[in-house]
Amino acid sequence: MNSHRVGFLTSGLAVTVLLFLILPIVIIFPLAFNSSDYLSFPPESLSVRWVREVVTSPGWLASAWLSLRIAVVATVIAIALSLLTAIALVRGNIRFKHGLYALILLPMIVPNIISAIAMYFFFAEVNDFSSVAEISIGHAVLAIPIATIIIASTLQGVDQRLENAAMTLGATRFIAFRRITMPLIAPGIASACIFAFLSSFDELLVAMFMGDRNTQTLPVHIWSSVTFQLDPSIAAVSAILVLISVAALLAANFLTRKPRA
C-alpha cells in the first residue's frame, strides 16, 4: 500500500470520527428551532418560539444566573490555587514531584460521581457552608487539575533567567515575577480561566448532590426538565450552551496561539 493510499485512509477515518462526534451536537439545533409542542426530528417547521421562551423564562434565567455566579467564584478559587501550585511545581525544588502531579490530577482521573459523593459526605459533616458555597468549592476542586496543567505548561516555556536578570538589577523576586513572568504567562492564565469556567458552568453531578430545591444550576435544571417534562425548550437551552462552549474554546485557542515570527 503506497503512502498516498495510507494518507487517504487516514483522512477518511479522521473525517468519520469527527462526523460521529459532531452530528449528535448538530442535531440539537434543528430541535431547538422546532415549532411543535414536543421534540421531533426532523422538525415539521422552524420557529424561534422555544428560544424566546427560554430567554424570557424567570426559571431558566435564574438557573443561568446562579450557574454564572458559581462558575465565576469557582474559577477565581481554582486559578488562584492553580497558579501557586504551578509555580511550586515548575520553579520549586520539590521531592516526589511526579507523585504530587498525580495527586493534583486525581479529581480529573476519578469519576465525577465518586468525587460528588465524597464531597457530599464531607460537607454533610462540616455543615458550615451554604449550598452555593459548597457547589463553588466542589467545582473549584474539579477545575484545579486542568488549570494547573495549562498554567504549568505555560510557565515551563518562560526562561527563568529573565527573572534572575531583573533581580540582579535590584528587583525583588515578587516584583520580577509580577512585572516579567506574569505578562508572559497571561495568555495561559486566561486560557485556564476559560476551561475552569466551562468545567464549572457545565457540571451536573456535584451541583446535583450539593444543591437543594432552591439551588438549581442550569445543568440541574436541564436534568430536572428531562426527567419531568420533555419539550423543545431543553433543546433550546442545550443549543445556547453549545454556542457558549464553542465561543469559549475559540477564545482559548486564540489566546494560546503563538504569534508568527
Side-chain angles (χ1 to χ4, degrees):
M1 185 178 294
N2 57 37
S3 60
H4 178 75
R5 181 68 174 173
V6 173
F8 178 77
L9 291 175
T10 303
S11 301
L13 181 60
V15 171
T16 303
V17 172
L18 288 176
L19 289 176
F20 178 78
L21 295 175
I22 293 174
L23 280 179
I25 299 175
V26 173
I27 291 175
I28 288 294
F29 290 92
L31 293 174
F33 293 99
N34 193 354
S35 61
S36 64
D37 294 332
Y38 53 88
L39 287 171
S40 61
F41 185 84
E44 298 177 359
S45 59
L46 299 180
S47 171
V48 295
R49 167 191 174 188
W50 295 106
V51 176
R52 189 189 312 115
E53 180 170 326
V54 166
V55 298
T56 58
S57 169
W60 286 113
L61 292 177
S63 296
W65 174 240
L66 177 63
S67 291
L68 180 63
R69 287 163 46 203
I70 290 175
V72 169
V73 174
T75 299
V76 171
I77 296 173
I79 295 302
L81 295 177
S82 298
L83 179 60
L84 296 175
T85 303
I87 294 171
L89 291 175
V90 175
R91 297 291 174 82
N93 187 15
I94 304 175
R95 298 180 62 186
F96 309 112
K97 186 176 295 187
H98 294 292
L100 291 176
Y101 262 117
L103 287 176
I104 294 169
L105 296 180
L106 199 59
M108 182 185 295
I109 300 171
V110 174
N112 279 9
I113 183 65
I114 297 177
S115 300
I117 293 173
M119 293 177 193
Y120 173 79
F121 284 107
F122 172 79
F123 284 111
E125 290 294 330
V126 175
N127 200 24
D128 291 331
F129 298 94
S130 64
S131 296
V132 174
E134 291 177 358
I135 297 173
S136 300
I137 295 172
H139 285 182
V141 171
L142 298 181
I144 284 175
I146 183 63
T148 301
I149 291 173
I150 295 173
I151 297 176
S153 62
T154 306
L155 187 60
Q156 286 174 346
V158 177
D159 194 343
Q160 191 174 0
R161 290 176 297 182
L162 297 174
E163 289 184 35
N164 295 335
M167 288 188 289
T168 59
L169 297 175
T172 62
R173 182 175 294 276
F174 174 75
I175 292 177
F177 182 84
R178 181 174 63 86
R179 298 288 296 273
I180 297 175
T181 305
M182 279 294 289
L184 294 175
I185 66 173
I189 295 176
S191 180
C193 287
I194 292 173
F195 281 98
F197 179 87
L198 287 178
S199 69
S200 172
F201 195 78
D202 298 335
E203 204 281 328
L204 170 64
L205 294 174
V206 171
M208 185 181 295
F209 274 83
M210 304 296 179
D212 52 31
R213 186 176 59 182
N214 299 320
T215 311
Q216 275 201 343
T217 62
L218 197 56
V220 175
H221 196 161
I222 294 174
W223 174 259
S224 300
S225 298
V226 170
T227 304
F228 298 107
Q229 60 180 22
L230 197 60
D231 57 49
S233 64
I234 301 169
V237 176
S238 302
I240 294 172
L241 288 178
V242 169
L243 292 177
I244 293 173
S245 300
V246 170
L249 292 175
L250 290 176
N253 181 65
F254 175 79
L255 290 171
T256 55
R257 183 181 299 171
K258 294 182 179 180
R260 294 182 180 179

